[in-house]
């Protein structure tokens, strides 16, 4: 599989660039979850990052992707039924 160096903005990974595996379409996943173990042995804390267009280049075109910290966690998935379009 291919990977791409992707920058992280905000949260505990602010300023880091990590290799992220790309999907079959050549894009990184929409959400990136980072589990951080609890030092007391409890439940791990999960930090969530959401994919966003990368920095803007000349003429307003974006260059790659970046992950932005989502402090509220992952938004709940909404089920879509075929008749509710």
């Amino acid at each position: 599989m291919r990977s791409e160096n992707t920058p992280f903005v905000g949260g505990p990974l602010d300023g880091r660039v990590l290799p992220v595996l790309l999907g079959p379409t050549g894009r990184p996943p929409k959400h990136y979850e980072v589990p951080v173990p609890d030092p007391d042995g409890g439940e791990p804390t999960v930090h969530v990052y959401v994919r966003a267009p990368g920095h803007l280049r000349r003429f307003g075109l974006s260059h790659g992707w970046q992950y932005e910290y989502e402090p509220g966690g992952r938004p709940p998935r909404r089920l879509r039924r075929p008749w509710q379009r």
Side-chain angles (χ1 to χ4, degrees):
M1 292 196 98
R2 241 180 70 188
S3 66
E4 180 178 291
N5 290 335
T6 308
F8 286 79
V9 179
L13 296 178
D14 188 27
R16 293 189 185 187
V17 177
L18 300 175
V20 176
L21 290 177
L22 302 178
T25 61
R27 293 181 173 184
K30 289 182 182 180
H31 298 92
Y32 192 84
E33 297 180 355
V34 181
V36 177
D38 189 299
D40 299 330
E43 288 289 320
T45 304
V46 178
H47 297 284
V48 177
Y49 287 84
V50 179
R51 183 184 71 198
H55 63 281
L56 294 178
R57 294 175 67 188
R58 195 173 192 179
F59 306 119
L61 300 174
S62 67
H63 178 69
W65 300 98
Q66 70 181 13
Y67 280 106
E68 296 176 353
Y69 184 62
E70 184 70 35
R74 189 173 186 171
R77 292 183 71 172
R78 192 176 131 226
L79 294 176
R80 292 185 101 186
R81 294 178 178 87
W83 61 87
Q84 292 180 333
R85 293 187 186 243

